[in-house]
Amino acid sequence: MKIDKTTPPQPIVVSHVENDNEVMEDSNTGQKSQEEKHKSSQASSQMQLLQLAKHFCLDGSLKPIDKQMPIEDRMERRERLSHLRRQQNMEKVIEKALHYCSNESISDRADPDWFDSFVELAERVSNPTMQELWAKILAGEVNQPGSFSLKALQAFKNLSLHDAKLFGRACSLAVKDSSKKNIRIISGCYQQPGLLNMLDKGREQHVHLSQFGFSYGEVLTLADHHLLFSQETELYPMNKGDELGLKYNGLPLVLSANKSRCIIQFYKFTPVGAELAKLIADKPDEKFFNHLKSSLSYHFFCSS
């Protein structure tokens, strides 16, 4: 097989940056224009790396030698801009959080130590969508101290935007019990085997979560972030006539067993996952809700 030899790309020398403001986002919008985003997505990997290096003041050695600042000055400049960036990020989070805070008086006060930890974890977040979620956490804790543990904050910090959207998808498929502490994604149901049902092809029923963008791979991803348990769990066996009251994103769902020894299977949210699920608004998926009821109907009467 013939291998083409190509000349390695020549290093690119970037132009000198005159002032610190060039590497900071516009303080009024905090976002690039749509045209700039489009151009950025079309740039080569080399150009994108150069843009990142410039944005974070790490392009000093790429400039012409006669325009290079001393490395000590470059380090101080990067630290200064890093602090400015973090300050700007936190001010945006605070501004967004105020919209979720109540004007009513509350008896408890937020823990200053919790707030200090919150700042350390949230100040590096510049994505507007993620800032919105951090703002909801802050407002929720101020409105009701104790709502979010430091363990939950640490888990949320490790989420990428993609992971956060995936977690939102999981919440859109989940049901809650009356306490709202137990959050589960129902994956199926079955009747315990016996002499009368061993040959019943419908004895085991499955909820096809993958049809709604949630395969077992997604389960494992959220399990890695300690938001969901990776192993299926089962509820206690329900006898004929036993009822279980649930809520599906604000919609009531009552399951009444029409046979004996019927068991519901599900993936359960971890305590941290249950805390962070408070950030996600109730948005029922009607198609999934109908599919869920249809999948359970072989062993349960499903009513609202």
Side-chain angles (χ1 to χ4, degrees), residues 110-120 150 153:
D111 183 2
D113 292 336
W114 181 96
F115 182 75
D116 186 53
S117 297
F118 174 89
V119 172
E120 288 185 4
L150 294 179
L153 295 186

Side-chain angles (χ1 to χ4, degrees), residues 119-138:
V119 172
E120 288 185 4
L121 295 172
E123 64 183 356
R124 293 179 180 272
V125 179
S126 59
N127 181 278
T129 300
M130 296 301 289
Q131 284 181 346
E132 195 76 28
L133 294 175
W134 279 104
K136 288 183 178 181
I137 290 177
L138 178 57

